[in-house]
Amino acid sequence: MSFLFVMLTYADIQRKVQQEIGSAIGFNLPPELSDMPDFLYLSAIVTENPITAAAGGPYLTTDEGVYEGYYIPKGSMILANSYAMLHDENIFPNPTDFKPKRFTKSGVISGDVLDPGSVAAFGFGRRRVMQ
């Protein structure tokens, strides 16, 4: 839904990504995952607009600890603040501006700006495999 919101809100960006897809595969075929290397601008849009809703659940600590001077007892409920993590101006300059080009440089995805997905978009903590 957030991707659709962005496309409806930023018509100029929508036109650019439509042109990119049309130039790469034509306008009569649906894109496939194997086409992603040809979609630099679309990749930048997806990177600029990470999905964070799944990362918002509560977690219980399995041990006691200290974080930045705060004592956290075992069994404490912790809520990760994805919004604050993804809007830290020290890591993401002008975080409220929608600028997919910040992730591209010289025709490739650039490593100059940290990928938000590596910070908070895919959840926190250990993964538990259910048997």
Side-chain angles (χ1 to χ4, degrees), residues 16-118:
K16 286 179 188 176
V17 77
Q18 283 176 322
Q19 186 61 41
E20 177 183 67
I21 292 170
S23 296
I25 63 168
F27 292 96
N28 297 320
L29 296 172
E32 298 181 8
L33 285 176
S34 61
D35 298 318
M36 279 306 288
D38 297 325
F39 303 147
L40 173 68
Y41 196 64
L42 177 59
S43 295
I45 290 170
V46 171
T47 304
E48 177 74 352
N49 188 41
I51 307 303
T52 60
Y59 296 86
L60 293 177
T61 58
T62 56
D63 205 354
E64 66 180 21
V66 176
Y67 178 74
E68 293 191 6
Y70 292 95
Y71 172 71
I72 302 171
K74 178 180 180 176
S76 296
M77 185 186 316
I78 304 293
L79 296 171
N81 190 342
S82 299
Y83 183 88
M85 292 178 191
L86 295 172
H87 289 80
D88 182 344
E89 292 210 18
N90 295 318
I91 299 171
F92 304 107
N94 303 311
T96 58
D97 295 345
F98 189 77
K99 295 181 181 177
K101 286 199 166 224
R102 76 173 87 214
F103 295 101
T104 64
K105 188 176 190 179
S106 304
V108 297
I109 293 292
S110 170
D112 292 350
V113 179
L114 184 64
D115 179 352
S118 68

